Amino acid sequence: MKDDTRMLSAMIDFDSAGARDFPTTSAHWLTSGAENLAPKEWQAALKSFPMMRPNEWNEAHGLPFSVWGEVHVWNSDRSIAESRPLSDASLRWMRNEVSYFPDGARLTLCRLDSNGIPYENGIDRLDLTLSVDEEYPWIAQLQAVSTFGSHLLPSAINKNELWVGFFRKTASRDGVTFGHITDDLLGPRETGLDTVLRRGGTRNSIRNGREILRGYSWVTVLSADLGERLGGVDALVRSEAFYKVSKLRGGAIFLQASESMAGYSDRTMERIFDVLRPVIPGGVPKIDPTVRKIPRIVWVDSRETLH
């Protein structure tokens, strides 16, 4: 069995999920994400369309080492909580259901093991999700989490560019409050800072994305409000802390710390931390003893200087 469980994650937070064009944005993320973020696996999956669902999960889903997938939508208003194997029909169904502003949706793509069953430990898998806040349905998050090892090679700049290109296009929408691409995901919807600072939980962190920065990573998207507090694009360019700085069409600011994920060193991380410090929540970061993975952050209170 393969043991490459390195994870790459992208997420984008919105406070405009009730907008007329948001279903189009989320449907594109869910149904086009696999083709853009894992093209080799997606092409392999297309050869198995339409896929079938076994009667029991521990039965073969397909041929050994082939690619299998499914879509899932849950919408309490429409009394829907349903999964369907990947096919042209199920993709059309998901696009249609997303137009009704569901509570959530997911597309999963995974490679099967030697018995034709998905790996239990989550390797060789891509999940594209839409999550909506239970209390404030205009707040939502799009997330992609991949453990497909062939797309996580740190030297593969072209793979990095695939993720950045798709991510950037989606983040160029109105209502973006935060976004990032990282390799230190600890839990769904969380950032590294969410796990080491007391800030009212992940849901509260998402809700306050315009007022305080949720986290900083290889690629970070600042809300327009936070960007203005830092002096805007010109000030961030003058800092010389970033490989790329630009204003997105929706008003948020795109920051890329280095050309590739491999170049996102501790020194680079400290450099961007120092620039972003005014909008990073204060507090002494503390390791959660129940968490197995240590987040990639600067272990300093943002209210203090690094040196």
Short mmCIF file of all heavy atoms in Angstrom, two decimals, residues 43-83:
data_model
loop_
_atom_site.label_atom_id
_atom_site.label_comp_id
_atom_site.label_asym_id
_atom_site.label_seq_id
_atom_site.Cartn_x
_atom_site.Cartn_y
_atom_site.Cartn_z
N GLN A 43 -9.22 12.12 -16.01
CA GLN A 43 -9.28 11.44 -17.30
C GLN A 43 -9.46 9.94 -17.12
O GLN A 43 -10.18 9.28 -17.88
CB GLN A 43 -8.02 11.74 -18.11
CG GLN A 43 -7.94 13.16 -18.64
CD GLN A 43 -9.10 13.52 -19.53
OE1 GLN A 43 -9.49 12.74 -20.42
NE2 GLN A 43 -9.69 14.69 -19.32
N ALA A 44 -8.81 9.39 -16.08
CA ALA A 44 -8.98 7.96 -15.79
C ALA A 44 -10.41 7.67 -15.35
O ALA A 44 -11.00 6.64 -15.72
CB ALA A 44 -8.00 7.53 -14.70
N ALA A 45 -11.00 8.58 -14.58
CA ALA A 45 -12.37 8.39 -14.12
C ALA A 45 -13.35 8.40 -15.28
O ALA A 45 -14.33 7.63 -15.31
CB ALA A 45 -12.73 9.47 -13.10
N LEU A 46 -13.14 9.28 -16.25
CA LEU A 46 -14.06 9.40 -17.39
C LEU A 46 -14.20 8.07 -18.14
O LEU A 46 -15.25 7.78 -18.71
CB LEU A 46 -13.58 10.49 -18.34
CG LEU A 46 -13.67 11.94 -17.84
CD1 LEU A 46 -13.09 12.89 -18.88
CD2 LEU A 46 -15.11 12.31 -17.51
N LYS A 47 -13.13 7.27 -18.12
CA LYS A 47 -13.17 5.99 -18.82
C LYS A 47 -14.11 5.01 -18.14
O LYS A 47 -14.50 4.00 -18.76
CB LYS A 47 -11.76 5.40 -18.90
CG LYS A 47 -10.78 6.24 -19.71
CD LYS A 47 -9.39 5.64 -19.69
CE LYS A 47 -8.40 6.51 -20.44
NZ LYS A 47 -7.01 5.96 -20.41
N SER A 48 -14.47 5.28 -16.88
CA SER A 48 -15.34 4.37 -16.13
C SER A 48 -16.78 4.86 -16.05
O SER A 48 -17.61 4.27 -15.36
CB SER A 48 -14.80 4.18 -14.71
OG SER A 48 -13.51 3.62 -14.71
N PHE A 49 -17.08 6.00 -16.70
CA PHE A 49 -18.46 6.53 -16.68
C PHE A 49 -19.40 5.60 -17.44
O PHE A 49 -19.02 5.08 -18.50
CB PHE A 49 -18.49 7.91 -17.33
CG PHE A 49 -18.21 9.05 -16.39
CD1 PHE A 49 -17.50 8.85 -15.22
CD2 PHE A 49 -18.65 10.33 -16.67
CE1 PHE A 49 -17.24 9.91 -14.37
CE2 PHE A 49 -18.39 11.39 -15.84
CZ PHE A 49 -17.68 11.19 -14.68
N PRO A 50 -20.65 5.37 -16.98
CA PRO A 50 -21.15 5.76 -15.66
C PRO A 50 -20.68 4.76 -14.60
O PRO A 50 -20.66 3.55 -14.84
CB PRO A 50 -22.67 5.70 -15.83
CG PRO A 50 -22.87 4.63 -16.85
CD PRO A 50 -21.68 4.72 -17.79
N MET A 51 -20.30 5.24 -13.43
CA MET A 51 -19.82 4.37 -12.37
C MET A 51 -21.00 3.73 -11.63
O MET A 51 -22.13 4.22 -11.68
CB MET A 51 -18.96 5.17 -11.39
CG MET A 51 -17.71 5.72 -12.05
SD MET A 51 -16.72 6.71 -10.93
CE MET A 51 -15.38 7.16 -12.03
N MET A 52 -20.71 2.65 -10.93
CA MET A 52 -21.75 1.94 -10.19
C MET A 52 -21.44 1.97 -8.69
O MET A 52 -20.29 2.17 -8.29
CB MET A 52 -21.82 0.48 -10.67
CG MET A 52 -22.04 0.33 -12.17
SD MET A 52 -23.61 1.06 -12.73
CE MET A 52 -24.77 -0.08 -11.97
N ARG A 53 -22.45 1.79 -7.89
CA ARG A 53 -22.26 1.73 -6.43
C ARG A 53 -22.47 0.29 -5.96
O ARG A 53 -23.48 -0.34 -6.31
CB ARG A 53 -23.27 2.63 -5.72
CG ARG A 53 -23.15 2.58 -4.19
CD ARG A 53 -24.21 3.41 -3.53
NE ARG A 53 -24.13 4.79 -3.92
CZ ARG A 53 -23.25 5.66 -3.43
NH1 ARG A 53 -22.36 5.24 -2.54
NH2 ARG A 53 -23.23 6.90 -3.84
N PRO A 54 -21.51 -0.25 -5.20
CA PRO A 54 -21.69 -1.62 -4.69
C PRO A 54 -22.79 -1.67 -3.63
O PRO A 54 -23.16 -0.65 -3.05
CB PRO A 54 -20.32 -1.94 -4.09
CG PRO A 54 -19.78 -0.61 -3.68
CD PRO A 54 -20.25 0.36 -4.74
N ASN A 55 -23.31 -2.86 -3.37
CA ASN A 55 -24.33 -3.01 -2.33
C ASN A 55 -23.76 -2.74 -0.95
O ASN A 55 -24.44 -2.20 -0.08
CB ASN A 55 -24.92 -4.42 -2.39
CG ASN A 55 -25.70 -4.66 -3.66
OD1 ASN A 55 -26.36 -3.75 -4.17
ND2 ASN A 55 -25.62 -5.87 -4.20
N GLU A 56 -22.51 -3.12 -0.73
CA GLU A 56 -21.83 -2.89 0.55
C GLU A 56 -20.53 -2.13 0.28
O GLU A 56 -19.88 -2.35 -0.75
CB GLU A 56 -21.51 -4.21 1.26
CG GLU A 56 -22.73 -5.06 1.58
CD GLU A 56 -23.59 -4.44 2.66
OE1 GLU A 56 -23.06 -3.61 3.43
OE2 GLU A 56 -24.80 -4.78 2.73
N TRP A 57 -20.12 -1.26 1.23
CA TRP A 57 -18.94 -0.43 1.01
C TRP A 57 -17.67 -1.27 0.86
O TRP A 57 -16.74 -0.88 0.14
CB TRP A 57 -18.77 0.57 2.15
CG TRP A 57 -17.68 1.58 1.89
CD1 TRP A 57 -16.43 1.61 2.43
CD2 TRP A 57 -17.74 2.68 0.97
NE1 TRP A 57 -15.71 2.67 1.92
CE2 TRP A 57 -16.49 3.34 1.03
CE3 TRP A 57 -18.73 3.17 0.12
CZ2 TRP A 57 -16.21 4.47 0.25
CZ3 TRP A 57 -18.45 4.29 -0.65
CH2 TRP A 57 -17.20 4.93 -0.57
N ASN A 58 -17.61 -2.42 1.53
CA ASN A 58 -16.40 -3.25 1.47
C ASN A 58 -16.39 -4.18 0.26
O ASN A 58 -15.55 -5.07 0.16
CB ASN A 58 -16.22 -4.05 2.75
CG ASN A 58 -17.39 -4.98 3.06
OD1 ASN A 58 -18.38 -4.99 2.33
ND2 ASN A 58 -17.27 -5.75 4.12
N GLU A 59 -17.33 -3.98 -0.65
CA GLU A 59 -17.31 -4.71 -1.92
C GLU A 59 -16.59 -3.87 -2.98
O GLU A 59 -16.43 -2.66 -2.82
CB GLU A 59 -18.75 -5.00 -2.39
CG GLU A 59 -19.51 -5.96 -1.48
CD GLU A 59 -20.92 -6.19 -1.98
OE1 GLU A 59 -21.29 -5.58 -3.01
OE2 GLU A 59 -21.65 -6.95 -1.33
N ALA A 60 -16.17 -4.52 -4.04
CA ALA A 60 -15.44 -3.81 -5.10
C ALA A 60 -16.30 -2.71 -5.72
O ALA A 60 -17.46 -2.94 -6.06
CB ALA A 60 -14.98 -4.80 -6.17
N HIS A 61 -15.69 -1.52 -5.84
CA HIS A 61 -16.35 -0.39 -6.49
C HIS A 61 -16.03 -0.34 -7.98
O HIS A 61 -16.72 0.32 -8.76
CB HIS A 61 -15.88 0.93 -5.87
CG HIS A 61 -16.38 1.17 -4.48
ND1 HIS A 61 -16.24 0.26 -3.45
CD2 HIS A 61 -17.02 2.26 -3.94
CE1 HIS A 61 -16.76 0.77 -2.34
NE2 HIS A 61 -17.24 1.96 -2.62
N GLY A 62 -14.94 -1.00 -8.35
CA GLY A 62 -14.48 -1.01 -9.73
C GLY A 62 -13.26 -1.87 -9.86
O GLY A 62 -12.92 -2.64 -8.95
N LEU A 63 -12.55 -1.77 -10.95
CA LEU A 63 -11.35 -2.56 -11.17
C LEU A 63 -10.24 -2.12 -10.21
O LEU A 63 -10.18 -0.94 -9.83
CB LEU A 63 -10.87 -2.41 -12.61
CG LEU A 63 -11.81 -2.95 -13.70
CD1 LEU A 63 -11.27 -2.59 -15.08
CD2 LEU A 63 -11.99 -4.46 -13.55
N PRO A 64 -9.36 -3.03 -9.80
CA PRO A 64 -8.24 -2.65 -8.93
C PRO A 64 -7.43 -1.49 -9.51
O PRO A 64 -7.15 -1.46 -10.72
CB PRO A 64 -7.40 -3.93 -8.86
CG PRO A 64 -8.39 -5.03 -9.09
CD PRO A 64 -9.37 -4.47 -10.09
N PHE A 65 -7.14 -0.52 -8.66
CA PHE A 65 -6.31 0.65 -8.98
C PHE A 65 -6.95 1.59 -10.01
O PHE A 65 -6.29 2.49 -10.53
CB PHE A 65 -4.92 0.22 -9.45
CG PHE A 65 -4.23 -0.70 -8.49
CD1 PHE A 65 -3.94 -2.01 -8.85
CD2 PHE A 65 -3.92 -0.29 -7.20
CE1 PHE A 65 -3.32 -2.88 -7.96
CE2 PHE A 65 -3.30 -1.15 -6.30
CZ PHE A 65 -3.01 -2.46 -6.68
N SER A 66 -8.22 1.39 -10.31
CA SER A 66 -8.93 2.34 -11.17
C SER A 66 -9.39 3.53 -10.32
O SER A 66 -9.17 3.57 -9.11
CB SER A 66 -10.13 1.67 -11.85
OG SER A 66 -11.10 1.27 -10.89
N VAL A 67 -10.02 4.52 -10.94
CA VAL A 67 -10.49 5.71 -10.24
C VAL A 67 -12.02 5.68 -10.17
O VAL A 67 -12.69 5.44 -11.17
CB VAL A 67 -10.01 7.00 -10.94
CG1 VAL A 67 -10.56 8.24 -10.23
CG2 VAL A 67 -8.49 7.05 -10.96
N TRP A 68 -12.53 5.93 -8.97
CA TRP A 68 -13.97 5.90 -8.72
C TRP A 68 -14.38 7.21 -8.07
O TRP A 68 -13.55 7.92 -7.47
CB TRP A 68 -14.31 4.73 -7.80
CG TRP A 68 -15.78 4.53 -7.53
CD1 TRP A 68 -16.66 3.84 -8.30
CD2 TRP A 68 -16.53 5.02 -6.41
NE1 TRP A 68 -17.92 3.87 -7.74
CE2 TRP A 68 -17.86 4.60 -6.57
CE3 TRP A 68 -16.20 5.79 -5.29
CZ2 TRP A 68 -18.86 4.91 -5.65
CZ3 TRP A 68 -17.19 6.10 -4.38
CH2 TRP A 68 -18.51 5.67 -4.56
N GLY A 69 -15.65 7.57 -8.17
CA GLY A 69 -16.08 8.80 -7.53
C GLY A 69 -17.57 8.86 -7.32
O GLY A 69 -18.34 8.02 -7.83
N GLU A 70 -18.01 9.85 -6.56
CA GLU A 70 -19.43 10.06 -6.30
C GLU A 70 -19.69 11.53 -6.01
O GLU A 70 -18.77 12.31 -5.72
CB GLU A 70 -19.91 9.22 -5.11
CG GLU A 70 -19.28 9.61 -3.79
CD GLU A 70 -19.84 8.82 -2.61
OE1 GLU A 70 -20.73 7.96 -2.83
OE2 GLU A 70 -19.39 9.06 -1.47
N VAL A 71 -20.95 11.92 -6.09
CA VAL A 71 -21.38 13.26 -5.71
C VAL A 71 -22.40 13.12 -4.59
O VAL A 71 -23.12 12.11 -4.50
CB VAL A 71 -21.98 14.04 -6.89
CG1 VAL A 71 -20.94 14.27 -7.96
CG2 VAL A 71 -23.19 13.32 -7.47
N HIS A 72 -22.45 14.13 -3.74
CA HIS A 72 -23.37 14.10 -2.60
C HIS A 72 -23.93 15.50 -2.40
O HIS A 72 -23.19 16.49 -2.46
CB HIS A 72 -22.64 13.65 -1.33
CG HIS A 72 -23.54 13.51 -0.14
ND1 HIS A 72 -24.34 12.43 0.06
CD2 HIS A 72 -23.77 14.34 0.91
CE1 HIS A 72 -25.02 12.57 1.17
NE2 HIS A 72 -24.69 13.74 1.72
N VAL A 73 -25.22 15.60 -2.16
CA VAL A 73 -25.88 16.87 -1.90
C VAL A 73 -26.81 16.71 -0.71
O VAL A 73 -27.51 15.69 -0.60
CB VAL A 73 -26.71 17.35 -3.12
CG1 VAL A 73 -27.45 18.65 -2.78
CG2 VAL A 73 -25.82 17.55 -4.34
N TRP A 74 -26.79 17.69 0.20
CA TRP A 74 -27.77 17.69 1.28
C TRP A 74 -28.42 19.07 1.36
O TRP A 74 -27.75 20.09 1.34
CB TRP A 74 -27.17 17.27 2.62
CG TRP A 74 -25.95 17.97 3.08
CD1 TRP A 74 -25.86 18.95 4.02
CD2 TRP A 74 -24.59 17.73 2.65
NE1 TRP A 74 -24.56 19.35 4.20
CE2 TRP A 74 -23.76 18.61 3.37
CE3 TRP A 74 -24.00 16.85 1.72
CZ2 TRP A 74 -22.38 18.66 3.19
CZ3 TRP A 74 -22.64 16.90 1.55
CH2 TRP A 74 -21.84 17.79 2.29
N ASN A 75 -29.76 19.05 1.39
CA ASN A 75 -30.55 20.27 1.42
C ASN A 75 -31.78 20.01 2.29
O ASN A 75 -32.70 19.32 1.87
CB ASN A 75 -30.97 20.68 0.00
CG ASN A 75 -31.63 22.05 -0.05
OD1 ASN A 75 -32.32 22.45 0.90
ND2 ASN A 75 -31.45 22.76 -1.14
N SER A 76 -31.77 20.54 3.52
CA SER A 76 -32.86 20.26 4.45
C SER A 76 -34.19 20.84 3.95
O SER A 76 -35.25 20.24 4.18
CB SER A 76 -32.52 20.85 5.83
OG SER A 76 -32.20 22.22 5.74
N ASP A 77 -34.14 21.97 3.27
CA ASP A 77 -35.37 22.57 2.76
C ASP A 77 -36.05 21.68 1.72
O ASP A 77 -37.27 21.68 1.59
CB ASP A 77 -35.10 23.94 2.14
CG ASP A 77 -34.73 24.99 3.18
OD1 ASP A 77 -35.05 24.78 4.37
OD2 ASP A 77 -34.10 26.01 2.80
N ARG A 78 -35.26 20.93 0.97
CA ARG A 78 -35.80 20.06 -0.08
C ARG A 78 -35.82 18.59 0.34
O ARG A 78 -36.10 17.71 -0.46
CB ARG A 78 -34.98 20.22 -1.36
CG ARG A 78 -35.22 21.54 -2.05
CD ARG A 78 -34.20 21.82 -3.15
NE ARG A 78 -34.12 20.79 -4.17
CZ ARG A 78 -34.98 20.66 -5.18
NH1 ARG A 78 -36.02 21.48 -5.27
NH2 ARG A 78 -34.82 19.71 -6.09
N SER A 79 -35.47 18.33 1.63
CA SER A 79 -35.45 16.96 2.18
C SER A 79 -34.57 16.05 1.34
O SER A 79 -34.96 14.91 1.01
CB SER A 79 -36.88 16.40 2.26
OG SER A 79 -37.69 17.21 3.09
N ILE A 80 -33.39 16.55 0.99
CA ILE A 80 -32.45 15.78 0.18
C ILE A 80 -31.17 15.55 0.97
O ILE A 80 -30.60 16.48 1.54
CB ILE A 80 -32.13 16.53 -1.13
CG1 ILE A 80 -33.34 16.54 -2.05
CG2 ILE A 80 -30.94 15.86 -1.85
CD1 ILE A 80 -33.13 17.37 -3.31
N ALA A 81 -30.73 14.32 1.01
CA ALA A 81 -29.41 13.94 1.52
C ALA A 81 -29.04 12.68 0.75
O ALA A 81 -29.30 11.56 1.18
CB ALA A 81 -29.43 13.69 3.02
N GLU A 82 -28.46 12.87 -0.42
CA GLU A 82 -28.32 11.77 -1.37
C GLU A 82 -26.95 11.75 -2.01
O GLU A 82 -26.37 12.79 -2.31
CB GLU A 82 -29.39 11.92 -2.45
CG GLU A 82 -29.42 10.77 -3.45
CD GLU A 82 -30.55 10.94 -4.46
OE1 GLU A 82 -31.44 11.78 -4.25
OE2 GLU A 82 -30.51 10.21 -5.49
N SER A 83 -26.42 10.53 -2.20
CA SER A 83 -25.17 10.33 -2.92
C SER A 83 -25.45 9.56 -4.21
O SER A 83 -26.31 8.67 -4.23
CB SER A 83 -24.18 9.53 -2.07
OG SER A 83 -23.82 10.22 -0.91
#
